[in-house]
Amino acid sequence: DSNGITISSGNLIIPDSIIHGGDSDTKVRFPSANKVSVETAGTEKLAILHDEIIINETGGDFNLRIEGDNNVNLLFVDAGNDRIGIKTSSPSTDLHIKSSFPAIRLEDDNEYSQIDSNGGTLTLSADAGNASSSSKITFEVDASEKARIDSSGNVGIGTTVVDGNKLAVLSGADSFGIY
């Protein structure tokens, strides 16, 4: 017809937009080849392209919320404050996890480590599933190891060799160990 809408071989062909009746700034658009976008209040909120999906490309204060079976804020993106919440709708830091037993699990092919909190206690666990021997926690500064705790509970500061000492300290050429 004169508006550019065509029905051909059972397909509805639309030049640009499907507009909600009585709400002209809410629409589904086809602004270019291989792109579909959704607009509300005259601003693009979602764009689907051939190789990516973009949410909030305009950088507006539009939050994103993903619900789970038991939590309406399983994942919450606070766009106005550039923060992400897990199980919270009001993240107070860049990444905020709220749970009765919050934990972060870091897993490779064979074992995993974990950071968790319970009752005011923060726990760092290397090889939490006890899948390999000789696990350790290392502390690095400026891409260099400065301290470690080995699988026997021995601590090395300034050295990677604790030689069975409960505490081994190396400062320059001087070193000492506590057994």
Side-chain angles (χ1 to χ4, degrees):
D1 76 10
S2 63
N3 294 317
I5 297 174
T6 308
I7 297 177
S8 174
S9 301
N11 295 312
L12 177 62
I13 301 169
I14 300 169
D16 185 77
S17 303
I18 300 172
I19 300 172
H20 180 247
D23 187 9
S24 62
D25 63 355
T26 298
K27 59 184 87 174
V28 175
R29 293 194 60 222
F30 308 93
S32 61
N34 300 313
K35 181 177 181 181
V36 177
S37 66
V38 177
E39 297 180 8
T40 61
T43 305
E44 182 178 282
K45 304 297 191 301
L46 173 69
I48 303 171
L49 290 80
H50 73 283
D51 59 352
E52 65 183 330
I53 297 175
I54 303 167
I55 299 172
N56 196 19
E57 184 173 29
T58 60
D61 187 2
F62 310 115
N63 298 332
L64 171 68
R65 181 171 49 92
I66 298 175
E67 294 188 14
D69 284 347
N70 300 307
N71 194 304
V72 296
N73 296 299
L74 184 61
L75 179 66
F76 185 87
V77 178
D78 181 346
N81 294 305
D82 295 327
R83 295 176 177 164
I84 298 172
I86 297 174
K87 297 183 180 179
T88 179
S89 63
S90 53
S92 58
T93 59
D94 289 345
L95 177 61
H96 181 156
I97 302 172
K98 182 177 181 180
S99 178
S100 57
F101 186 69
I104 298 173
R105 183 175 173 140
L106 307 170
E107 185 171 350
D108 62 22
D109 292 335
N110 300 313
E111 53 269 322
Y112 69 94
S113 295
Q114 194 160 303
I115 303 168
D116 54 58
S117 176
N118 187 10
T121 299
L122 177 69
T123 304
L124 304 174
S125 304
D127 188 21
N130 199 24
S132 62
S133 61
S134 302
S135 300
K136 60 187 166 287
I137 297 175
T138 61
F139 300 88
E140 291 188 4
V141 178
D142 296 331
S144 174
E145 184 177 320
K146 304 301 181 194
R148 72 172 42 205
I149 304 170
D150 69 15
S151 60
S152 297
N154 300 329
V155 177
I157 300 173
T159 181
T160 60
V161 180
V162 293
D163 289 332
N165 295 310
K166 285 296 176 192
L167 175 63
V169 179
L170 175 64
S171 177
D174 299 325
S175 67
F176 71 90
I178 299 174
Y179 299 97

